[in-house]
Amino acid sequence: MDNLSKTQNLSPGSTSHADCSIGNLWHTATGPLAFPMTNDYMFRSLLQCNSSVLKGLVCALLHLNARDIHSADILNPIELGKAINDKTFILDIKVLFNDNTIVQLEMQVINQYNWTDRSLSYLCRSFDQLTRGKAYQTVKPVIQIGILDFTLFPESPEFYATYQLLNVKKYTIYSDKLRLSVLDLTQMELATEEDRLYQIDDWAAFFKTTTWEDLKMLAEKNSYIAEAAATLYELSQDEKIRLQCEAREDYYRHQASIQYEMDRRDAILKEQNAKIEERNVKIEEQNSKIKERNAKIEEQDAKIEEQDVKIEELTRMNQTLISEKEAWIIEREQLLAQIKRK
């Protein structure tokens, strides 16, 4: 695949939503954004609304040149502005690009500590696409990309990581049809030279920016982000979409409160467990001292028992000597008596 230049050259695409006309009013916008791109409803709305921005993001994340993508169709569109129900609660975006590869994109803000299993479930569900009578070789490659606002593996942080099935001894790829990637928005300082070459760091900054001033600076470096800014401005004016974004913000706050309470309880439990462990250590130390004291007592008892045995032996010897002495006295008296008679 050709390297992607610092400014991608895909011509602007038309929007796919009737209310998403792109104008230049965003250039006059100042102050905080109404909703950041970490709002998954706004994220979903923007990428569904502007196919050019969708292609630009896919190009960056898959290390493709703009001309490598001739089509990118969302397979699970939603009716923008409509209230979220149980079916649309998970706002992932499933894209078929070049009629060959399925890419799943999802923005995840709150760490629910289930992303590895969740992403695998999404990946396998999308890979299981065979219809009756189709050959296995016709299965389309599937790429699952999570854009996370938390670090998945704190012990090994990474800005943009990709995982595949491979031989654990020789590191050969088992299949290139399954792939998972994770973009960590909290680790932008770890972006590699390759990440910067494909402007993934700029996209991450776009997702995290909170003001129009910062967004304008990013737009100067990336034409897709400039398009995204224009569409974002238009979407922010749509009352129905604003209501759904606000609902998602309320959901984040609710989840954050739940997570805070869970973390607080975990902290209390950890503190209690630490105290119990400390108490157990002290009890163990006391038990060790008691065992040591008991061992000394047993040792003393053994010595006393040994002394008792010796005393008993000496007593028996004394009794034997006394008996012998008494027998000697009797014998002597008998001899004296015999002498007198003579």
Side-chain angles (χ1 to χ4, degrees), residues 261-303:
E261 184 62 24
M262 290 176 63
D263 291 343
R264 189 183 68 83
R265 292 182 181 181
D266 286 343
I268 292 173
L269 285 174
K270 286 180 181 178
E271 184 179 355
Q272 291 176 342
N273 288 336
K275 288 180 179 179
I276 291 171
E277 185 65 27
E278 184 180 355
R279 193 156 56 240
N280 288 340
V281 169
K282 289 181 179 179
I283 291 172
E284 188 62 33
E285 289 177 355
Q286 290 174 347
N287 287 338
S288 296
K289 290 179 180 179
I290 290 171
K291 287 180 181 178
E292 185 179 350
R293 195 157 53 240
N294 288 340
K296 289 181 179 179
I297 291 172
E298 288 176 0
E299 184 180 354
Q300 290 173 348
D301 288 343
K303 289 180 180 179

Side-chain angles (χ1 to χ4, degrees), residues 136-199:
Y136 287 109
Q137 294 88 337
T138 63
V139 175
K140 293 179 174 62
V142 179
I143 302 170
Q144 210 286 332
I145 303 176
I147 301 172
L148 312 183
D149 200 25
F150 55 87
T151 299
L152 186 61
F153 302 115
E155 68 281 2
S156 181
E158 195 170 354
F159 173 61
Y160 188 55
T162 296
Y163 306 88
Q164 287 184 273
L165 292 173
L166 51 78
N167 184 302
V168 296
K169 292 180 180 178
K170 298 183 178 180
Y171 301 103
T172 53
I173 300 296
Y174 185 82
S175 171
D176 60 358
K177 286 193 171 184
L178 287 171
R179 195 170 101 189
L180 297 104
S181 293
V182 174
L183 177 61
D184 186 344
L185 300 180
T186 69
Q187 302 291 343
M188 280 188 277
E189 72 280 1
L190 297 181
T192 64
E193 184 177 344
E194 185 178 44
D195 295 331
R196 289 189 290 272
L197 173 66
Y198 289 97
Q199 293 184 285

Side-chain angles (χ1 to χ4, degrees), residues 4 7-13 51-57 59 65-70 223-224 227:
L4 187 69
T7 301
Q8 297 164 320
N9 298 313
L10 185 66
S11 59
S51 60
S52 177
V53 174
L54 175 62
K55 291 176 185 178
L57 177 61
C59 276
N65 191 282
R67 59 177 173 270
D68 292 326
I69 296 183
H70 56 76
S223 60
Y224 291 115
E227 276 200 66

